[in-house]
Amino acid sequence: MVRQRAATILLLTLLMLVLAACGKTSEVSEEKPQQQDTPVEESGTQTIEHLKGTAVVPQKIERMVVLSAAYIDHMLTIGEKPAGVNVEVRYGGDYLPYFADQLEGVPTVGSADSPNLEAILQIDPDVIVIESRTAENTYDQLEKIAPTIVLGTEWLDYEDDATYWTQDLMTFAGMYNKVDLAKEKITEVEQQAEQLKAKIAQLDQKKLAYLRVREKTLQIYAAKGHPTNTLLYHDLGFEPTTVTPAEQREDLSMEKIADIDANFVVLEVDPNAEDYLNNINASSLWKGVPALNEDQVYTTDSFWLFKGWGVIGRSEIINEVEDMIQ
């Protein structure tokens, strides 16, 4: 009996040990799925396709550095403030005036052509966004600081697509989960253009020349080839002059000035072009341009080429054109 009881106790002890071991095994097997289920980091990121491949950036971006006036416009349009912005050296090396109020306190990080890598490093950005032209020289260096997204291509690649300027804006909106807001802002500026187009359609004469005075030459912008051109001739309905090229800006000799049959002239003057502008103003050929006789020459602030790429800038151009045709 004693032996039987001892054997029974031994069996019970062994059974308890086996059950305990099974319990531990089941505990381990229950914990394993939690260890394997590690997309906690992945769910906190997003993958962005761009001209250099893909970039993995945080789902919630806190600090974005942008090296383009267009990208500053895109961020401000969707209510986001950049952590660092480029400057335009030829325009004083500071914020572009039409962004200045909204960028107060934002660090500047050099130009798009020569970014200040140390200044960018100090910001410790989550992501850097640059244009394709910037990427040619500095992409590898910037990529070492933070994931770097390369946007933008040549406008002429998109031929007659007058909405091309919206594509990069939608990329920004997607990164911040603000696509609906971006669409709303695009619609607003398109409606603003449509209203002005209706007024321009009422004009008896609406030929427009968009000119740029450079240090030693006068250039005329094309009817296409840039979103500012497309805004003027497509969205607003101005007619190109007989010397307005179709797709790419051209130099105009002094003799060619006589062929500018424009009722309206938009004149952009480079900072170093005052002497050449004086030569043009002194020319009898210039004085024969219809727009001069009709007092319809409008000098811009030299930022239209930047403004054409974004909602904020395009809205400002539309307002300026409306003042011009009053």
Side-chain angles (χ1 to χ4, degrees), residues 82-314:
V85 296
N86 67 299
V87 298
E88 296 295 335
V89 176
R90 60 181 168 169
Y91 297 119
D94 205 345
Y95 304 135
L96 291 177
Y98 61 105
F99 294 139
D101 290 346
Q102 297 181 74
L103 291 178
E104 188 174 354
V106 174
T108 56
V109 294
S111 68
D113 295 326
S114 300
N116 185 331
L117 300 178
E118 186 177 344
I120 295 172
L121 190 60
Q122 288 178 353
I123 293 170
D124 187 25
D126 300 319
V127 59
I128 302 166
V129 187
I130 62 176
E131 295 178 328
S132 52
R133 67 187 178 96
T134 304
E136 291 175 10
N137 298 318
T138 58
Y139 174 76
D140 292 337
Q141 296 166 292
L142 293 169
E143 179 68 13
K144 290 174 183 175
I145 297 174
T148 300
I149 295 170
V150 184
L151 302 178
T153 55
E154 289 300 320
W155 166 253
L156 287 173
D157 291 346
Y158 289 79
E159 298 179 346
D160 295 324
D161 181 4
T163 66
Y164 169 62
W165 67 272
T166 66
Q167 293 186 16
D168 287 346
L169 169 57
M170 296 309 295
T171 299
F172 276 86
M175 284 191 277
Y176 284 96
N177 196 26
K178 291 187 174 183
V179 168
D180 288 343
L181 176 60
K183 288 180 178 177
E184 179 185 319
K185 295 295 184 182
I186 292 167
T187 299
E188 286 175 5
V189 79
E190 286 176 343
Q191 289 174 345
Q192 185 185 5
E194 286 172 11
Q195 290 169 3
L196 182 55
K197 185 175 186 177
K199 292 181 181 179
I200 292 169
Q202 301 298 315
L203 299 175
D204 293 332
Q205 297 175 315
K206 41 184 172 286
K207 282 190 177 181
L208 180 141
Y210 178 21
L211 305 175
R212 181 175 182 180
V213 185
R214 311 206 74 165
E215 186 177 8
K216 295 181 179 179
T217 189
L218 176 67
Q219 293 182 326
I220 183 166
Y221 283 99
K224 297 189 293 186
H226 189 283
T228 301
N229 304 347
T230 308
L231 173 60
L232 293 172
Y233 296 108
H234 177 273
D235 296 11
L236 297 181
F238 282 108
E239 295 173 1
T241 68
T242 54
V243 291
T244 299
E247 293 188 335
Q248 289 182 301
R249 68 187 177 194
E250 294 179 357
D251 290 351
L252 283 181
S253 63
M254 292 295 279
E255 293 75 22
K256 271 282 188 183
I257 289 176
D259 298 329
I260 301 175
D261 56 340
N263 312 110
F264 296 92
V265 167
V266 174
L267 196 64
E268 180 176 315
V269 183
D270 281 7
N272 58 353
E274 288 300 322
D275 288 344
Y276 200 78
L277 177 61
N278 291 335
N279 291 340
I280 292 171
N281 286 330
S283 165
S284 59
L285 297 175
W286 176 248
K287 291 170 184 172
V289 174
L292 264 79
N293 298 324
E294 297 162 23
D295 196 23
Q296 292 180 151
V297 175
Y298 181 80
T299 303
T300 76
D301 56 12
S302 299
F303 300 121
W304 276 27
L305 292 179
F306 298 116
K307 289 179 176 181
W309 288 99
V311 165
I312 296 169
R314 288 172 83 85

Side-chain angles (χ1 to χ4, degrees), residues 14-25:
L14 288 171
L15 184 59
M16 288 173 68
L17 288 171
V18 170
L19 289 172
C22 289
K24 283 183 181 175
T25 303

